[in-house]
Amino acid sequence: MPKMKAAIFVEPGRIVLDEKPIPDVGPLDALVRITTTTICGTDVHILKGEYPVARGLTIGHEPVGIIEKLGSAVQGYREGQRVIAGAITPSGHSEACLCGCHSQDGAGTKHGWKAMGGWKFGNTIDGCQAEYVRVPDAMANLAPVPDGLTDEQVLMCPDIMSTGFSGAESGRIRIGDTVAVFAQGPIGLCATAGARLMGATTIIAVESVPERIEMSRRMGADHVVDFTKADPVEEIRRLTDGRGVDVSIEALGRQQTFEAALRVLRPGGTLSSLGVYSGDLKIPLDGFLAGLGDHTIRTTLCPGGKERMRRLIGAIASGRVDTRPLVTHRFKLDRIEEAYDLFSHQRDGVLKVAITP
C-alpha cells in the first residue's frame, strides 16, 4: 500500500512525523496533494492534551494543494487543479447546513445537528499536515485557487482569516463603529483586518509583543494598548471618552481577556468571542451589569465550505487584505516537529509557519 509522511498525534506532548497509508477516496471525496499547510493554535491545544483527539490521528486543518484523485460522483473539478478547503468541511445537506450553521453540521445524526460537527480535519478524520489529505464532500468544500495567487497568499483562508473575519462578522460591526480586539495573534490580527473591512473607524488592539504590535497597526489598528504598561479596560475607556466600544472581540481564550472584553463594552454592545477556552468561564457581575445592559455575547467556530473560501480568496485577489506578512517562518514537512517546538513556545517572533513538502 502506498505510504505518505504525516504528523501524527501519539499522546499529550507528542506529535511526531511518521508514515501511514495514502488515503483512498469515496464517491464524493477528493484526494488532495498538499503543497502548503500550517500549524494552528488549536493544534497546540491538541498537542498539550487540552483538546482530546484519537491517538494515531493526522493533525492539521489548513490545506492548500492540488487535486490528485476525484471520487466517481464528483463533478465540476478536475485532477491537477489547485484548490483549498476550509478547516470546516460541512456536508452541505444536513439540517444545520441548510440553516446556515455549517460549522455545526450534523450529517448522519437523527436531527441533523452536531456541536462542532463541521470540524473534521485533524479532529474526527485525518488532517492536512501530511503529503496527502482526503477531502470529504468535495463539491461542498473545494475552492479553486486562481493562477495569479501563490500558496502563501491563500494559506490563511482555510482557518485563520475565516475565523478572524467571523469575529468581526459575528460582532455585526457597522460603518463608524469603535472596536476593541483583545490579543493580536494570527486570529486577532485577522479580526483587526476584518473590522477594518467591515467599516470600523476606530480599532483598538490589545497586545504586548512588539512584533505583534507593529503587525496590528499594519492590519488596521488605530491604537494599540500594551497591557503590560496600562490597564486595558481603563485605557480603552479613556480612548472612548468613557463611552466604551460598540464591539469587542476576544481572540485569546482566557478568563482575564474575556472579562476585559466585556467590561469595555458600551451598553447594548456586542462581545464576539473567538477564543478556545480550556476551563470554565465566569461572567463578572459588574461587567455584565447584572444582566441588564442589553449586551450580546456571540461565539463563533470558523465558517467553512467552498463559498466561504471563494469570498475570502476574492478579498485576497482584490488586494483589500494581504495576509502574507503573517507567515514569519517556513519549514519542510520533514522538520515539522521542529516547527511545532518553535510555534508552541512562541519563539523568535513567530506568527504562522508555512509547511511545504
Side-chain angles (χ1 to χ4, degrees), residues 293-314:
D294 288 330
H295 292 137
T296 299
I297 298 176
R298 294 283 305 275
T299 64
T300 305
L301 174 59
C302 171
K306 69 178 181 183
E307 173 60 10
R308 176 68 170 182
M309 295 301 105
R310 183 194 68 82
R311 289 174 178 268
L312 296 177
I313 289 172

Side-chain angles (χ1 to χ4, degrees), residues 49-106:
E50 296 169 346
Y51 184 88
V53 300
R55 298 185 181 213
L57 190 75
T58 302
I59 305 304
H61 49 260
E62 298 160 278
V64 183
I66 296 169
I67 297 173
E68 184 82 4
K69 184 178 180 182
L70 291 170
S72 60
V74 177
Q75 300 178 8
Y77 299 90
R78 56 178 173 79
E79 294 175 359
Q81 188 174 19
R82 291 180 67 222
V83 291
I84 63 171
I88 302 300
T89 52
S91 66
H93 59 73
S94 69
E95 283 88 338
C97 289
L98 295 175
C99 286
C101 296
H102 300 91
S103 301
Q104 315 303 326
D105 176 31

Side-chain angles (χ1 to χ4, degrees), residues 23-44:
D24 201 1
V25 296
L28 293 174
D29 303 334
L31 181 67
V32 172
R33 176 169 56 84
I34 299 296
T35 54
T36 309
T37 188
T38 183
I39 298 173
C40 178
T42 304
D43 300 327
V44 176

Side-chain angles (χ1 to χ4, degrees), residues 45 50 182-185 187-188 249-259 261 271-282:
H45 283 291
E50 296 169 346
F182 285 81
Q184 293 292 285
I187 287 177
I249 301 173
E250 199 286 314
L252 187 60
R254 294 185 181 172
Q255 176 71 38
Q256 184 178 6
T257 49
F258 181 88
E259 285 191 26
L271 191 165
S272 178
S273 172
L274 294 176
V276 178
Y277 302 97
S278 300
D280 291 341
L281 277 178
K282 297 179 180 178

